[in-house]
Amino acid sequence: MTDLNTNKTTPTPTMIPIPPSSQFHSPSPANSNPMTPKSPFITRVMTPLASPMKKAMTSMQGYLEFTKLNPQDEWLPITESRNGNAFYAAFHTLSSGIGIQALVLPLAFTALGWVWGIISLSTFFVWQMYTLWLLIQLHESPSGARYSRYLWLSIATFGEKLGKLMTLIPTIYLSSGTCITLIMIGGATMKLLFNTIVGNTWEDKNDTPLSMIEWYLVFTCLAVVLSQLPNLNSIAGVSLVGAIASVSYCTIIWVVSVIEGRLAGVSDEQPQVSGVARVCDVLNALGIVAFAFRGHNLVLEIQGTMPSSLKQPSRVPMWKGVKYSYLIIAMCLFPLAIGGYWAYGNLMPTTGGMLTALYKYHGQSTSKAILELTSILVIINCLTSFQIYAMPVFDNLELRYVTKMDGPCPWWVRAGSRVFFGVLAFFVAVALPFLPSLAGLIGGIALPITLAYPCFMWIVMKKPDPYSKMWWLNWILGCLGMILSVLLVFGAIWTIVTRGIEVHFFKPK
């Protein structure tokens, strides 16, 4: 097993071969008894039965040796508790899978149009469901070893150096970067809620008691307090609340938008731009659709919280929980994208997506209670999503202590490390408020985590027959994922160069 932050390698359990029975009972010539004739029953019946039973017992012992928890796993927050189930998996998947990024899906339709927008959304949904299935199957190797972190599976597949090079930075961004973005969104929504309650308007006001930095701080303090729950299984209830909140605010937003009707002057026609700009707009739209599906960097961690045995492997309840949760996710994302594009079309705000559109176009006609409830649900979902996305970071921080001290973290070390990460994320959110403008560029680099790497991992780990259906399918999807990643990075860079971004340090808006 490899330390995620150091080059040290800790020994993993190895299967000890069972010596033949003759090595345990080798009679000496002095006390050996004359051999008695074998019974025909033993020769004809017991011997054929004993051979497969002996093999089964040997393989069973090997499996138990490999599935036995490493002592470090018992001390780390992801694998500290392994009493998870399909319901816990569904709660975590829903809480991490639906987020504020879904509210900008109608923007993709403004560049792709109705037909290609729906085709792209459906294609990416099926594609990422397939790669989720691959990761769930790869969590447990035939020998019984469990890969409870995405990075560990990458290292086991591609080797230590290449595995870290391919997945270390993207997984760090998908965890830490998401937490930073949640602080920005949660703080901004708190300010929006305050303006709605006190000022009776959604518009930004400079005379509010708290500045944007102070709203970020309020959100961060709430998130850090909630993060003191010890391990991933202990936040299952938090994830359930977050899942209910995310499904609720997505439903409220698209239902209200559709009921209020289509805005006057909405057009479904794509803007007339130059060839290169048009290509970049399409690539950015595909990026928005691809980034709407997130959480692949957490699926192995969630599965690692489940018990597993030869008769009841963890992949069965995990896939069951993921299937039902993504059915609900689809019921949220597709109406958001289709209903939002129908209602707002080319008038969709580029910042905030449908949440901003709801306040901007229907803030006066919609009940104030509905607007306030929507903001509260968004804040709750941001707080709960922060917990599950920060858990791999907490696990990595504690791994450093556990590896050095060869023992579990005291409560004050665990609490201090989580406060430290909260302060660091708050500082980055304040210092780099333009970070969401780079989401397309960094997201394009991290896209293979979702669409490409699982396919290559399956080929290396499972070794399907060359030129078989699974061999072709995974090679094609893996290569397409890598090509799409390169194209998205190119489109993001071109957009930044041609349109620019507003860079301002320590001045969040």
Side-chain angles (χ1 to χ4, degrees):
M1 189 180 301
T2 307
D3 187 350
L4 305 187
N5 297 286
T6 65
N7 292 325
K8 296 180 181 179
T9 302
T10 57
T12 55
T14 55
M15 184 170 59
I16 303 174
I18 302 176
S21 58
S22 60
Q23 295 182 12
F24 289 105
H25 306 282
S26 16
S28 61
N31 59 4
S32 61
N33 297 323
M35 297 183 62
T36 56
K38 293 182 179 180
S39 167
F41 174 79
I42 295 177
T43 304
R44 297 177 183 178
V45 179
M46 295 300 294
T47 300
L49 289 175
S51 180
M53 289 180 65
K54 181 179 178 181
K55 292 180 180 179
M57 292 297 293
T58 303
S59 61
M60 174 70 76
Q61 180 173 348
Y63 186 87
L64 292 176
E65 288 288 339
F66 273 96
T67 55
K68 183 179 179 181
L69 280 178
N70 184 283
Q72 289 187 358
D73 277 352
E74 297 176 346
W75 301 329
L76 297 175
I78 288 179
T79 49
E80 186 178 61
S81 170
R82 294 214 183 195
N83 59 355
N85 51 48
F87 292 103
Y88 285 13
F91 300 158
H92 292 317
T93 304
L94 274 173
S95 182
S96 61
I98 302 179
I100 202 72
Q101 81 286 349
L103 299 181
V104 297
L105 273 174
L107 280 176
F109 279 59
T110 60
L112 299 173
W114 281 110
V115 176
W116 286 109
I118 295 175
I119 291 176
S120 300
L121 186 59
S122 303
T123 301
F124 278 109
F125 179 79
V126 174
W127 190 348
Q128 60 85 34
M129 279 294 292
Y130 173 70
T131 54
L132 269 176
W133 179 82
L134 293 180
L135 289 173
I136 292 172
Q137 301 301 314
L138 291 171
H139 175 82
E140 294 161 326
S141 69
S143 62
R146 299 185 67 176
Y147 305 108
S148 300
R149 284 86 174 164
Y150 196 104
L151 181 60
W152 291 6
L153 177 60
S154 178
I155 291 174
T157 304
F158 306 115
E160 183 174 354
K161 291 184 178 179
L162 184 59
K164 287 184 176 181
L165 179 65
M166 293 171 63
T167 60
L168 183 58
I169 294 179
T171 52
I172 289 176
Y173 165 74
L174 291 173
S175 295
S176 304
T178 300
C179 291
I180 295 168
T181 305
L182 289 172
I183 291 177
M184 296 179 180
I185 297 171
T189 309
M190 282 183 169
K191 186 174 183 179
L192 180 66
L193 176 63
F194 179 85
N195 289 337
T196 305
I197 296 175
V198 178
N200 222 7
T201 177
W202 66 274
E203 295 179 354
D204 191 14
K205 296 169 63 178
N206 295 325
D207 57 350
T208 54
L210 299 179
S211 65
M212 185 62 76
I213 295 178
E214 291 169 327
W215 285 115
Y216 285 4
L217 182 59
V218 172
F219 180 89
T220 304
C221 290
L222 293 175
V224 168
V225 170
L226 199 57
S227 70
Q228 298 306 315
L229 292 171
N231 52 60
L232 190 53
N233 268 338
S234 67
I235 65 171
V238 175
S239 293
L240 173 59
V241 173
I244 295 173
S246 60
V247 172
S248 299
Y249 78 70
C250 286
T251 304
I252 290 174
I253 290 175
W254 75 259
V255 167
V256 171
S257 299
V258 171
I259 290 176
E260 290 288 340
R262 189 175 172 90
L263 295 178
V266 170
S267 174
D268 294 338
E269 296 181 2
Q270 282 71 50
Q272 300 297 324
V273 293
S274 63
V276 177
R278 174 62 181 162
V279 171
C280 290
D281 288 341
V282 171
L283 291 176
N284 289 331
L286 293 176
I288 291 173
V289 177
F291 301 152
F293 303 105
R294 61 180 190 174
H296 282 61
N297 60 307
L298 299 172
V299 64
L300 295 175
E301 285 79 352
I302 296 172
Q303 191 173 352
T305 64
M306 295 183 173
S308 185
S309 64
L310 194 62
K311 291 184 178 180
Q312 296 179 334
S314 62
R315 63 178 178 270
V316 177
M318 182 64 189
W319 179 239
K320 182 178 179 181
V322 167
K323 282 192 301 183
Y324 287 113
S325 61
Y326 266 86
L327 176 62
I328 298 175
I329 290 174
M331 294 170 63
C332 291
L333 298 192
F334 279 84
L336 267 176
I338 296 173
Y341 183 57
W342 175 83
Y344 305 112
N346 61 332
L347 301 180
M348 174 67 63
T350 57
T351 303
M354 290 191 66
L355 181 62
T356 303
L358 178 66
Y359 275 87
K360 182 177 180 180
Y361 299 117
H362 307 303
Q364 300 300 325
S365 58
T366 304
S367 169
K368 184 179 177 181
I370 292 179
L371 296 177
E372 294 169 356
L373 176 61
T374 304
S375 297
I376 292 172
L377 293 173
V378 170
I379 295 169
I380 292 174
N381 178 246
C382 289
L383 285 171
T384 56
S385 297
F386 184 96
Q387 309 309 314
I388 189 168
Y389 276 96
M391 194 59 70
V393 181
F394 300 156
D395 188 86
N396 199 19
L397 291 174
E398 292 187 27
L399 179 62
R400 298 179 66 108
Y401 179 93
V402 166
T403 303
K404 184 176 181 180
M405 306 303 294
D406 194 23
C409 285
W411 69 268
W412 57 271
V413 174
R414 171 168 286 183
S417 64
R418 298 182 180 192
V419 172
F420 167 77
F421 173 72
V423 172
L424 181 62
F426 167 75
F427 175 80
V428 175
V430 173
L432 306 175
F434 58 89
L435 195 61
S437 302
L438 303 176
L441 175 61
I442 305 176
I445 298 174
L447 187 65
I449 294 287
T450 300
L451 299 181
Y453 293 161
C455 301
F456 296 138
M457 289 173 176
W458 179 272
I459 294 173
V460 175
M461 299 294 281
K462 295 296 185 179
K463 296 179 173 57
D465 294 335
Y467 310 112
S468 62
K469 292 182 180 179
M470 287 297 291
W471 187 89
W472 278 113
L473 178 62
N474 286 288
W475 269 115
I476 292 173
L477 291 180
C479 293
L480 285 177
M482 296 302 297
I483 293 172
L484 180 61
S485 174
V486 173
L487 292 177
L488 291 181
V489 171
F490 167 77
I493 294 175
W494 181 269
T495 301
I496 292 173
V497 171
T498 56
R499 300 177 184 177
I501 59 174
E502 186 179 355
V503 178
H504 43 89
F505 299 95
F506 297 98
K507 292 181 180 179
K509 296 181 179 181

